Amino acid sequence: MRLTSLFGPAAAELVVLIYLLIPPTQGVAFDPVQLPNLNLDQLGRVALTGDFDSISLYTYKQQTQTAFSTNGSQALITQLPNGDYTAAATADAYIKTMCPFVMQNGQLAGVVVGGNFTSLGGIEAQGVAMYDPNSSNITPLPGLLGKVSAVYCDQDTNTVYVGGDFKGADSTNAVAWVGMTGWANLPFAGFNGPVDSIAKAPNGNIIFGGTFTGLGNITSPQKKDQQVINLSSARISGGSTTEENGFNDPENIVCQTSGQDQPGSTWLLEDRTSGFWRADLNFGFEPTKLRLWNTHLNGRGTKTFRFTALPLNGIMNMTYIDPATGKKSPCDADGARCPLSGNTSVPFQDFEFVNRVGMSAFQIDISDWYGDGAGLNGIELFQDDIYAYAVPDLNEPTCANIRLGSNSTPTGPWTTASSAQSQSQYLTVDLATQDIQSAGASVVFKPNIKQRGNYSVTIYTPGCLQDNSCDRRGIANVTGVFTAAGAPLSPQQIFQTNNFDKYDEIYYGPVDVNSDSFRATVTLTPYTQQDERITLVAQRVRFDPTNDTGGLNGLFEFDPTKGSMLTDFSRSAINQVGTNLQPEAIVTSLAVVAGITYVGGNFSDTSGNFQNVFSITDGNATSLPNGGLNAHVATFQVFGDLLYIGGNFTNTATGNISGLNNFAAYNTVSQSWLALGSGVRGQVNTIVPLELNVTENQPETCITVNGHFDQLEAFGSAPAVPVQGFGVWVPSRQNWLQNLNLTTRTITGQLSTTTNITGSDPLLAGTISSQGVPGAQAAVSLTSNPLQLNSLGIKIQPQQVTNAKRKRAVSGQNVTGAVTGIFHKNGKLNVTVIGGHFTAIASNGSTINNLAFINGTGAVSGLGTGLDEDSVFLALNTQDDILYAGGTISGSLENSDVNGLILYDLAGGNFAYPQPPALGGDDVVVNAITTRPKSTQVYVAGSFDTAGSLGCPSVCMFDKGQWSQPGSGLSGSVAALAWQGNDKLLAGGNITINGNTTRLANYDTRRREWTPLDDATSAIPGPITALTAANEDASQFWVAGKSSDGSAFLMKYDDSRFQSIEDSSRLGEGTTIQGLAMLSLNDNHDKSDLVGQNMVLLITGSLEVPNFGNASAALYDGRSFIPFILTTAGNGPGSLSQLFSEKTVDFKSSGGQMKVGFVVLIGLAIALGVTFLLVVAGIVIERYRRKAEGYQPAPTQYFDKTANMGRIPPEDLFGRLGQRGTAPLL
């Protein structure tokens, strides 16, 4: 193949390096993570609740909690051994196409990846790069600017054909990467429009499909040097400037074209001294002509100079017309010094640049002069490039008196950002939701068009890394008007999340010249379908005139064996097929199946035989049955004998087959159309095959459908299914995966393309997140031996709550999805209860709102009517078979209002009657419910003032059908409760006791008294949202919440003091902790003062784990945090609320830490026991010694010692003890 190299040996070395370093493909090596050896047996059944639709244990280091992106960025995606999908390399925009570049010798050079990105895997790569599937390394292939839409890897010729909407050296929209030589121009100069698809014909030729009408390239305008570079906004300086007033300012000569020598108009150097004049601009440019006005003041003037491009420090070669001879002459080759005429009859001189060189500053060095010294009287710089800048000062200068020159009109609170790493300054604005939806900011670009013709119009977007705005960048909406009689350009959405500078072609076609009645314009505004605060940027628009051969119409056949191009396109049957289509045909898709080439797009043939899709056999165009399809085709995917087709059609062209809504299949053997269900409601953009375990351990290739649709259409007995632009068709079941009751992995997001790699799993591209637990949403069970997550058998859809309800919850409390749960087992009654704010489907098909019951057989049911659908359940507990359910609950049961709390009879399966008198107050919420040990008293805590008519703020006790106020003086909001033995209750939150604020309070049930916990107010930096015991009687416990600065805190109380974890180990600033629980381990970890060696603290919520990133659950061993569970919800990270279990943790059997008092008593008892044993041992030893030495026992018979003693009456003995001054008388 004869192709001209663009970049020479350097590129060739790069290719050789890629070629030599990549070994035969074995697949990416994934790093497993050792799972914690939890002992959950003592807890019975264990479950987790949260707001998620995807959940996995953290088992591989490549796993992240990143959800699929909706900001236009995509990633290369690989599948982990556990079935989850993970990003192998993230791009800052979409990935459109891929192919494995296998050389002639069978060696894999890498996977060529193309798209609209400017970086891949964090490495700058403009539209195309090479990916190593073994190491995940990225090698950029520099040289193109724009987007790549199609790649075809041809092993026979060691060549990758690349098409799209880009520029590279002397090619436009098509170029080749040759195995050992790098980029190379094709024998033609590319196309005058974008390329969307490339395929290899049965005869070995390469077919290009796209939106083009001829071979061609960007060209220079017929009218040269017509765009004036704005020097009036530049920073002007000079060297060796005169001190004479009126002539000492180098800015004097900017916008000065009168030729008059006078103060304020002329700039002079010092007498008989060389010097320089310099301009630093706020944008880059490629000048084509320099115009200088010489000074003639008092016989002075510049005789010779040279032009230096900065910051390159390159001396520019120029030519000029010699005024004396009228001939074109080069400047002095030695030093490129140019002469400037001193003739007063020559008003100015033009100097043409020999080469086009980019620069952002320049310097004119003056080396010789006329008379007493040098000077200048005016300067202008010109270029061919046609730009309109968003920053008005960068456009053509108004002082140049240019009629209808380039300009712009910004509207809104824009500010100017420095060029930094970009080509020019640009405008930036931060927009709130209301400003986005009202298009509260706009920029109208108006270029200086001096000749009518075909133009390529591109809009430039500065990279987001340079201004640290990547996490805020949004979507711009771009429209334009280019001809006086033509319709406005349909709105186009431009994603501005690019890390580095990029451009997007927004229009190709005719543009009218500027006139008093018409000007071409491009308008940039925010895309209104964004509901978050964004940063919008606007930089510049470019108009490039194009030149083409004509004679083509969306199709072109290239013979790679020929080194030159034939201009007679009719010699190619495929080219001829294209010209037989109606003008301005758009070809989007090409596929070759069994020697037949299939063509799809937006077109019809001139004879009316077919529309939007046809086949080519032996050079002849053949209609598919029923005349093709009735609207445009966007994509093809071949699988076996079937050609899957996606687009915006609803039927065949003749309308004879129903069910072909935007997604259909064509059987290439039977030559017939197949309806796939009834299609989808909305446009399909891509079709990507994906292997799934539809049947357990039996992978099957399924077909994913991706685009702008919101529903899988109903067909047969299958109902319509709402979706978000993603569906999975299962060929073996002839049904959508969403309709099948299968225990397979759930996938959300969208896929853009895939490619097969020999010896490895397929490589995907797009934005997807996969669910590690089939059928699990918002609630899962957790088991050990082995450690795994399992579905609870209920399909939950989280619901957003109203702002009014949201305000009721304590800060940090999750109020969407499943928030809380409880296992209740009493005799034959075995019920799992899930509460929160969600909808679910009951076993009988009815809709469940917010509280669900799963019985022992797995049947799912819900509450009866009476409660408001916007209720939120936050706390659950049981007494006998009565469920106490609290939260932000409202409604009416048996004509009585309920508020904050309901009772439900689990045995009877209905509401309990009568219900407790309703709680009262502003924004009533119940956050915690607990039963006093060894009693029937149920304590309810939250934010309320009354219980029925009883004043009972914050914590109230319900027993035997009536409310009682426990103690007095308590108010505020209580978030959590824990019993410290049978008689003391610990409450955490944002509490006030007798007017004094505290975070923790104790209630003594015997004394009926609330007391603040010592140091709780000063030690704890904010309200408590989570609390858990750390030992048997909860004298030690953990608390968590939000500090006043918004950061999360986690602290332990150990009998008498609070301990915080080390700063270096703390969770990140974005952390919200929603639940805490102590768990047992089978193996001991390193010793810590905070956590026992065979215990671990589980933290749930939305966490930022140090040295990892986002997680929904982490384990803390007293030294460090270990990522444990990852979740996603919709297109963002998910969260976990709490763990609940059938039984409580047994700290004694788990070796939990005891209360210090007990430790002291036990130690004292041990010491006394040891002392007693030592004494006994000493007595025994002493008796043995004495016996051995011959000692005899003392006599045991005594004489009567009392015989000679008289009896003294007691009153005589003790009567005088109290008398002072005398001794007692005996």
Side-chain angles (χ1 to χ4, degrees), residues 840-1021:
I841 303 299
S843 297
N844 63 6
S846 62
T847 299
I848 297 171
N849 289 307
N850 309 320
L851 193 66
F853 308 99
I854 309 170
N855 68 17
T857 64
V860 179
S861 60
L863 295 170
T865 59
L867 299 184
D868 296 339
E869 291 185 2
D870 209 21
S871 295
V872 182
F873 289 91
L874 302 174
L876 303 173
N877 211 316
T878 57
Q879 175 64 44
D880 295 328
D881 289 335
I882 301 299
L883 172 71
Y884 289 73
T888 57
I889 304 166
S890 58
S892 178
L893 300 176
E894 290 292 317
N895 299 318
S896 297
D897 291 338
V898 293
N899 194 11
L901 179 75
I902 63 162
L903 270 58
Y904 188 84
D905 186 348
L906 293 174
N910 49 42
F911 291 106
Y913 293 103
Q915 290 286 313
L919 300 174
D922 295 333
D923 295 335
V924 169
V925 58
V926 171
N927 294 314
I929 304 173
T930 184
T931 301
R932 181 182 176 185
K934 300 180 181 181
S935 80
T936 59
Q937 298 174 357
V938 177
Y939 284 74
V940 177
S943 178
F944 48 82
D945 299 324
T946 62
S949 60
L950 175 69
C952 196
S954 306
V955 176
C956 208
M957 189 266 287
F958 189 78
D959 188 25
K960 298 177 181 178
Q962 64 182 12
W963 289 108
S964 299
Q965 181 182 7
S968 62
L970 180 72
S971 62
S973 180
V974 175
L977 299 172
W979 285 100
Q980 297 177 308
N982 297 334
D983 302 322
K984 289 187 177 181
L985 179 65
L986 179 66
N990 194 13
I991 304 169
T992 299
I993 299 178
N994 297 321
N996 298 315
T997 300
T998 186
R999 310 302 186 194
L1000 286 164
N1002 286 115
Y1003 177 65
D1004 189 323
T1005 60
R1006 295 182 181 275
R1007 301 174 59 184
R1008 296 180 57 82
E1009 181 181 25
W1010 287 99
T1011 56
L1013 189 69
D1014 293 341
D1015 300 327
T1017 302
S1018 59
I1020 302 176

Side-chain angles (χ1 to χ4, degrees), residues 378-407:
I379 183 172
E380 279 188 333
L381 202 60
F382 299 86
Q383 63 182 358
D384 287 339
D385 298 331
I386 304 172
Y387 285 110
Y389 290 89
V391 179
D393 288 345
L394 306 187
N395 289 303
E396 292 183 296
T398 56
C399 59
N401 297 319
I402 303 171
R403 186 171 177 272
L404 303 176
S406 64
N407 64 74

Side-chain angles (χ1 to χ4, degrees), residues 945-1144:
D945 299 324
T946 62
S949 60
L950 175 69
C952 196
S954 306
V955 176
C956 208
M957 189 266 287
F958 189 78
D959 188 25
K960 298 177 181 178
Q962 64 182 12
W963 289 108
S964 299
Q965 181 182 7
S968 62
L970 180 72
S971 62
S973 180
V974 175
L977 299 172
W979 285 100
Q980 297 177 308
N982 297 334
D983 302 322
K984 289 187 177 181
L985 179 65
L986 179 66
N990 194 13
I991 304 169
T992 299
I993 299 178
N994 297 321
N996 298 315
T997 300
T998 186
R999 310 302 186 194
L1000 286 164
N1002 286 115
Y1003 177 65
D1004 189 323
T1005 60
R1006 295 182 181 275
R1007 301 174 59 184
R1008 296 180 57 82
E1009 181 181 25
W1010 287 99
T1011 56
L1013 189 69
D1014 293 341
D1015 300 327
T1017 302
S1018 59
I1020 302 176
I1024 290 171
T1025 58
L1027 182 156
T1028 193
N1031 64 350
E1032 189 70 19
D1033 67 349
S1035 59
Q1036 300 176 26
F1037 53 85
W1038 287 90
V1039 295
K1042 284 279 189 181
S1043 304
S1044 57
D1045 62 1
S1047 63
F1049 66 82
L1050 177 63
M1051 307 178 73
K1052 184 183 180 184
Y1053 184 76
D1054 192 352
D1055 290 300
S1056 60
R1057 64 190 179 96
F1058 287 95
Q1059 300 180 70
S1060 296
I1061 60 177
E1062 296 181 4
D1063 289 344
S1064 59
S1065 302
R1066 288 184 178 178
L1067 298 168
E1069 293 182 359
T1071 292
T1072 297
I1073 298 174
Q1074 297 175 6
L1076 299 171
M1078 294 296 297
L1079 300 176
S1080 300
L1081 295 173
N1082 289 316
D1083 302 322
N1084 289 352
H1085 57 69
D1086 293 339
K1087 188 175 181 180
S1088 165
D1089 294 335
L1090 292 173
V1091 181
Q1093 285 184 276
N1094 64 341
M1095 300 289 289
V1096 69
L1097 176 66
L1098 172 71
I1099 305 104
T1100 55
S1102 178
L1103 316 178
E1104 289 185 7
V1105 180
N1107 303 315
F1108 175 75
N1110 293 333
S1112 296
L1115 299 173
Y1116 183 64
D1117 61 4
R1119 302 168 66 90
S1120 61
F1121 290 95
I1122 305 163
F1124 182 40
I1125 298 176
L1126 312 179
T1127 71
T1128 59
N1131 61 346
S1135 63
L1136 288 176
S1137 295
Q1138 60 181 249
L1139 176 144
F1140 66 95
S1141 58
E1142 191 174 11
K1143 303 174 185 178
T1144 59

Side-chain angles (χ1 to χ4, degrees), residues 473-491:
R473 288 283 186 94
I475 308 171
N477 196 69
V478 178
T479 60
V481 179
F482 302 105
T483 60
L489 175 70
S490 298

Side-chain angles (χ1 to χ4, degrees), residues 389-392 408-417 425-431 435 439-445 459-462 467 473 475-478 496 522-527 534-540:
Y389 290 89
V391 179
S408 62
T409 305
T411 302
W414 296 94
T415 59
T416 301
Q425 289 180 330
Y426 56 94
L427 297 181
T428 180
V429 63
D430 291 325
L431 297 174
D435 298 321
S442 66
V443 176
V444 179
F445 300 88
I459 188 165
Y460 288 73
T461 305
D467 60 6
R473 288 283 186 94
I475 308 171
N477 196 69
V478 178
Q496 297 194 327
V522 174
T523 302
L524 181 146
T525 60
Y527 179 54
I534 66 163
T535 294
L536 192 70
V537 293
Q539 188 181 55
R540 56 187 172 131

